[in-house]
Amino acid sequence: SQQGEEDPQALSIQEGENATMNCSYKTSINNLQWYRQNSGRGLVHLILIRSNEREKHSGRLRVTLDTSKKSSSLLITASRAADTASYFCATDVEAAGNKLTFGGGTRVLVKP
Amino acid sequence: GAVVSQHPSWVICKSGTSVKIECRSLDFQATTMFWYRQFPKQSLMLMATSNEGSKATYEQGVEKDKFLINHASLTLSTLTVTSAHPEDSSFYICSASRLAGELYYEQYFGPGTRLTVT
């Protein structure tokens, strides 16, 4: 079963706008990771945020983590057409031996 | 660094035949590798966890006799889909795990293998 649920399932924005997607999970985690997947391709690791961290930045990406609400958000600022992809959160659950459980994903379309 | 390859990248096979997919960590040793399956427009579902030199641990609902996993070395794991049927058509992705910091591991994903069973 999926640990994470993502919202929205799909997002369509204009180039230059910001894209925000959310991920909720159910059990305690060691860390939460965000990945990007272009259609028919493998996953690209974007960012990892540990359970004791609240916010992390990497370039145009900003990730927040609220362990009290068991949720995380990924913000992509100043989006580009090349950001068009599916984005997945994945949780590394405590006592699950380093297994990742993926959310359902958010399909982002950035229109030029 | 931390590159994971898969071979083949795509394969078409006839129903009833077996297909082997290889997953290699090219520049690091991975004690643990994972196999995922992804159906179109869906998320990744973990199939099994593979540790070098030991039997794979399968997730609930995954038939171990159908999806044979061998992890013969620290850089190679193979997934064999036996007696494949059209419903096994999917995108299979592997990942290899490496210690990336204090007390956490990072998974590096292969590019995936598209299996089509006719």
Side-chain angles (χ1 to χ4, degrees):
Chain A
S1 63
Q2 289 180 0
Q3 155 84 317
E5 297 295 330
E6 290 186 57
D7 165 57
Q9 291 187 342
L11 183 59
S12 180
I13 55 174
Q14 291 294 138
E15 209 165 23
E17 294 180 340
N18 295 342
T20 300
M21 58 211 87
N22 303 293
C23 168
S24 61
Y25 57 92
K26 298 174 184 173
T27 60
S28 294
I29 60 172
N30 292 318
N31 60 67
L32 185 145
Q33 303 178 41
W34 285 92
Y35 290 86
R36 183 184 73 215
Q37 183 182 37
N38 290 86
S39 181
R41 309 290 288 273
L43 271 71
V44 174
H45 184 263
L46 295 177
I47 200 164
L48 177 149
I49 187 165
R50 301 186 197 188
S51 60
N52 62 353
E53 296 176 314
R54 291 297 165 257
E55 188 170 313
K56 209 160 182 182
H57 297 256
S58 177
R60 293 184 294 111
L61 306 179
R62 173 176 168 256
V63 168
T64 63
L65 179 65
D66 187 335
T67 52
S68 66
K69 295 181 180 178
K70 292 186 170 57
S71 68
S72 174
S73 68
L74 170 66
L75 167 68
I76 305 172
T77 60
S79 62
R80 304 168 182 167
D83 295 328
T84 294
S86 290
Y87 293 82
F88 295 94
C89 67
T91 50
D92 180 344
V93 177
E94 285 183 357
N98 165 40
K99 292 194 301 186
L100 291 180
T101 304
F102 283 81
T106 295
R107 284 170 286 285
V108 176
L109 171 63
V110 182
K111 293 179 281 187
Chain B
V3 178
V4 176
S5 70
Q6 279 184 245
H7 178 79
S9 55
W10 60 269
V11 57
I12 301 172
C13 71
K14 292 187 177 180
S15 191
T17 61
S18 295
V19 174
K20 180 185 284 188
I21 302 170
E22 291 186 350
C23 176
R24 294 181 185 271
S25 55
L26 297 184
D27 49 4
F28 67 101
Q29 293 184 330
T31 52
T32 304
M33 289 185 171
F34 301 87
W35 286 96
Y36 298 84
R37 180 165 57 181
Q38 184 181 33
F39 292 107
K41 297 187 178 181
Q42 294 189 24
S43 186
L44 280 74
M45 297 298 291
L46 180 65
M47 298 175 67
T49 303
S50 168
N51 289 295
E52 185 263 340
S54 62
K55 289 184 179 179
T57 301
Y58 291 81
E59 295 298 301
Q60 193 172 7
V62 178
E63 299 174 60
K64 62 181 180 181
D65 294 331
K66 179 166 187 64
F67 299 99
L68 300 179
I69 292 172
N70 183 279
H71 194 158
S73 76
L74 289 172
T75 60
L76 173 64
S77 176
T78 61
L79 167 69
T80 302
V81 182
T82 62
S83 187
H85 290 284
E87 57 265 31
D88 298 324
S89 298
S90 187
F91 194 50
Y92 292 87
I93 303 175
C94 74
S95 70
S97 175
R98 162 174 99 164
L99 188 63
E102 282 186 26
L103 303 177
Y104 80 89
Y105 290 79
E106 192 163 319
Q107 287 189 32
Y108 300 92
F109 285 81
T113 297
R114 172 79 55 196
L115 170 63
T116 302
V117 184
T118 60

